[in-house]
Amino acid sequence: MILTVARKEFREIIRDGRIKWSALILAVMLVAALASAGQRFADISAERESAQEVVNAQFAAQGEKNPHAAAHYGLYAFKPVTPLSFFDTGVGSYTGVSIWLEAHNQNDAEGEPARDATAIARFGELTAAFTLQMLLPLLVILLAFPSFAGEREAGTLRQVLSMQVAPVQLLFGKALGAAGALSVFIGPILLLGLIGLVVAPGGLGYLGHGVVLVIVYVIYALIFLFLTLAVSANVKSAQAALVVMVGFWAVSSFVLPRAASDVSRLLYPTPTAVSFQANIDEAMQSGIDGVSPDTVVQQRQKQTLELYKVETVEELPINFQGIIFDLQEKLGNEVFDKYYGELYAIFDQQTGLHQAFSIGSPRMATQLASMELSGTSLNQHLEFTNQAERYRRDLIEGMNQDITFNSEAGQADYRADSALWASIEPFEYQPASLGALLTRLGPSFMVMFLWLALSIVAGVLAVRKVKVTLG
C-alpha cells in the first residue's frame, strides 16, 4: 500500500508545472554553482601551488648567508584548497590564504579574498552549499505542504482513509513519493558533482567526504519533508501549512543563525587586533612570568659556563649566540602560546554556542557539518595556522642550532652555504582525515538525527490524529 500511495504522489508532483519550474530553477542554480566551483578550484589551486613552489625555491636559493639572517628572510606558507572548498566556501573568504614565517614572530594569515572582492561579491556568493541550505527546504515545502491539508480541502482525504489505508502507511507513502520526485530533480546533479569530484586533481581522496556530504543534505531534506507532512496533517488548510513551514524555514535559516552570531560576540568577545598585539608586545618585554628575557639569558649563560667549566663565552666550544637566539625564540613562543591559546579558547566557546543554537535550527547543524567536510571550517583554518607555526618553530630552531654548533664562539660573520637551505623540507599542510572529521562532527550529527527522528515522530502522531478525526 505504501508503494501505491508513493506512485500516486510521485505522478502528481511530476505533473505539477509549478513544482517542475521551481525544481528547474534550483537545478540551474546548483549546476551553475558547481560549474563555477570547479573552475575556481582549478585556478586557485594551481595559483597557490605555484606560489608555494616559488617561495620555496627563493628560500633554497639564498646563497651564503648567516642562518639568523635567513630566519628573518623567512618564507610564506600558503593554505591549499580542497576539491570541496568551493562547494562550501565556509569561512575561507575571511581567514587569509598565506602566513609569513619568520624569526621571533607568529604572524596571522593574510590575504583574505573578501578584501579584494567587489561590494556585490561581499554581499554573498552563489555556492552549491548555500543553494542547497537555503532553497532545497523551500522546494521540499512546495512538494509536500498540500499533501494532507490539500486533500482535506478537496474532500479526497476521507475517501482515501475509508479504503482502509492506514494513516501511517499514507504518511510514509507520501514521503516516499515526494522523496522520489525530489531525487529525479536533484539526484542527477548531485551524482554529476560526485563524478566531477573524482576527476578533479586530488579529488579521489575526497570522495568519502563527498558521499558523506550528500548524506548530510539528504537528511536535511528529509527533516523538512516530514515536518511539512506533519504540519499539513495538523492544520485545516494548505495555505496554513505553507505559512507555518515558510515561517519555520525563515526562523531556522535566518533568525537563529544571526542570533547565535550576535550572542556569541556578546558572551565571548574577542580582543581587538590592537589590544591583542599590545598584550603580546608587553609580555615580550616583561616576560610571561615577570622575569625579563635579559634575566633569563643571563641565567642560561651562567648555567652554560658552569656546564662546560669555562669562565667566558669565548672559551665555549660552541657559539653562545646561537643559544641566545634559540632562547629568545622559545621565550617568545611561550608568549604566543599563552595569548593565541586564550584567543582560540574564545573561538571554541563561540563554536560551542553555535552548536547549541543548532538544536533549534537544522540549517545550522547542516552548515557546520558541510563546512567541516568541505575543509573550510574555522577549525581547519586553525589547524593550518598551527601546522604552519610548528613548521616555523622547527625551521628557526634548525637555523639557531646551525649557528650554535657549526660556528666558532663569538663568530659574528658566520655564513652557511646552500646545503643548509636545501636540507629544509618544504611546508606541506596535512588536512584532518575523514575519520577525525566525523568524530568532530558528532554533536552536529546528533542534532541532525534528533531532528529527523522528531520530525518522523511528529508526522506519525499527526496522521494518527487524522485517523481519529475522520474515523
Side-chain angles (χ1 to χ4, degrees):
M1 186 59 70
I2 291 178
L3 292 178
T4 301
V5 174
R7 284 194 293 268
K8 169 185 172 296
E9 198 75 14
F10 177 83
R11 287 195 295 268
E12 290 181 354
I13 291 173
I14 293 297
R15 292 171 182 169
D16 192 323
R18 295 170 302 174
I19 293 176
K20 284 194 292 187
W21 278 107
S22 300
L24 179 61
I25 292 173
L26 176 60
V28 169
M29 293 180 66
L30 196 55
V31 169
L34 289 173
S36 173
Q39 184 60 50
R40 281 184 293 166
F41 167 72
D43 293 342
I44 296 182
S45 178
E47 178 184 276
R48 294 191 190 174
E49 288 179 4
S50 176
Q52 189 68 68
E53 291 175 358
V54 168
V55 298
N56 290 342
Q58 288 175 340
F59 189 84
Q62 293 181 90
E64 290 189 355
K65 181 183 290 185
N66 184 278
H68 192 66
H72 279 286
Y73 181 78
L75 74 163
Y76 277 101
F78 287 89
K79 181 167 63 177
V81 291
T82 70
L84 288 169
S85 59
F86 294 108
F87 169 84
D88 189 337
T89 55
V91 301
S93 297
Y94 307 95
T95 51
V97 302
S98 64
I99 301 177
W100 179 242
L101 310 178
E102 60 175 337
H104 307 309
N105 286 310
Q106 178 172 339
N107 296 315
D108 294 321
E110 55 187 21
E112 301 93 326
R115 289 182 180 270
D116 299 324
T118 62
I120 294 178
R122 289 194 192 100
F123 179 76
E125 56 184 319
L126 178 66
T127 65
F130 179 83
T131 302
L132 290 173
Q133 289 168 21
M134 302 304 294
L135 301 183
L136 180 60
L138 288 179
L139 179 59
V140 172
I141 292 170
L142 185 62
L143 291 177
F145 83 91
S147 294
F148 288 97
E151 289 201 21
R152 182 185 290 112
E153 289 179 310
T156 58
L157 183 58
R158 182 185 296 272
Q159 296 176 3
V160 173
L161 293 174
S162 67
M163 299 172 61
Q164 297 184 344
V165 178
V168 174
Q169 290 180 322
L170 190 60
L171 169 70
F172 285 102
K174 286 180 174 292
L176 183 59
L182 189 65
S183 65
V184 169
F185 297 134
I186 307 299
I189 300 173
L190 296 179
L191 180 60
L192 183 63
L194 289 176
I195 294 173
L197 177 63
V198 171
V199 300
L204 188 59
Y206 283 85
L207 180 58
H209 298 65
V211 171
V212 177
L213 266 175
V214 171
I215 294 173
V216 165
Y217 282 99
V218 167
I219 294 173
Y220 183 52
L222 290 176
I223 290 170
F224 274 89
L225 176 58
F226 279 100
L227 283 177
T228 305
L229 291 173
V231 170
S232 183
N234 264 317
V235 299
K236 294 182 178 180
S237 67
Q239 183 179 6
L242 181 60
V243 170
V244 169
M245 284 308 303
V246 171
F248 173 77
W249 168 80
V251 170
S252 65
S253 298
F254 293 102
V255 178
L256 284 178
R258 181 57 185 267
S261 179
D262 291 341
V263 172
S264 66
R265 283 199 298 266
L266 289 173
L267 294 182
Y268 309 113
T270 55
T272 64
V274 173
S275 64
F276 182 74
Q277 189 60 48
N279 289 334
I280 290 178
D281 293 341
E282 182 180 353
M284 287 288 196
Q285 294 296 324
S286 62
I288 198 169
D289 53 1
V291 180
S292 70
D294 290 340
T295 301
V296 176
V297 170
Q298 292 173 4
Q299 293 172 347
R300 179 62 60 86
Q301 178 176 323
K302 180 180 179 181
Q303 293 169 353
T304 304
L305 293 176
E306 291 176 352
L307 177 64
Y308 285 95
K309 296 180 174 57
V310 295
E311 297 296 328
T312 64
V313 293
E314 288 76 15
E315 298 176 78
L316 290 170
I318 59 175
N319 192 337
F320 189 70
Q321 187 61 52
I323 294 179
I324 294 176
F325 288 147
D326 188 63
L327 187 56
Q328 291 173 337
E329 196 70 35
K330 286 181 168 56
L331 291 173
N333 292 342
E334 290 180 1
V335 175
F336 297 138
D337 289 342
K338 171 180 169 57
Y339 288 99
Y340 275 96
E342 292 174 353
L343 180 63
Y344 294 164
I346 294 174
F347 290 158
D348 287 340
Q349 290 173 319
Q350 292 178 342
T351 301
L353 188 63
H354 277 258
Q355 289 177 333
F357 267 81
S358 71
I359 295 175
S361 170
R363 190 240 168 161
M364 291 182 67
T366 302
Q367 185 181 38
L368 289 170
S370 182
M371 288 191 298
E372 284 287 1
L373 292 166
S374 299
T376 56
S377 68
L378 179 60
N379 284 331
Q380 296 198 54
H381 173 72
L382 294 182
E383 286 178 355
F384 163 72
T385 61
N386 288 335
Q387 289 186 29
E389 176 61 13
R390 287 197 296 271
Y391 179 85
R392 182 191 75 85
R393 295 183 183 187
D394 291 341
L395 173 67
I396 305 305
E397 183 178 15
M399 299 294 102
N400 293 332
Q401 287 181 352
D402 186 78
I403 294 175
T404 302
F405 299 108
N406 294 331
S407 64
E408 298 177 359
Q411 184 181 359
D413 60 350
Y414 168 67
R415 291 174 175 269
D417 58 24
S418 59
L420 177 60
W421 328 129
S423 68
I424 304 299
E425 293 290 334
F427 172 74
E428 187 173 351
Y429 171 60
Q430 298 295 329
S433 66
L434 179 58
L437 294 180
L438 294 178
T439 300
R440 185 185 301 168
L441 286 172
S444 297
F445 287 145
M446 287 179 62
V447 170
M448 295 186 68
F449 284 120
L450 179 62
W451 266 106
L452 181 59
L454 291 177
S455 64
I456 294 174
V457 170
V460 171
L461 294 178
V463 295
R464 285 181 175 175
K465 290 181 182 179
V466 170
K467 179 180 180 181
V468 171
T469 302
L470 297 178

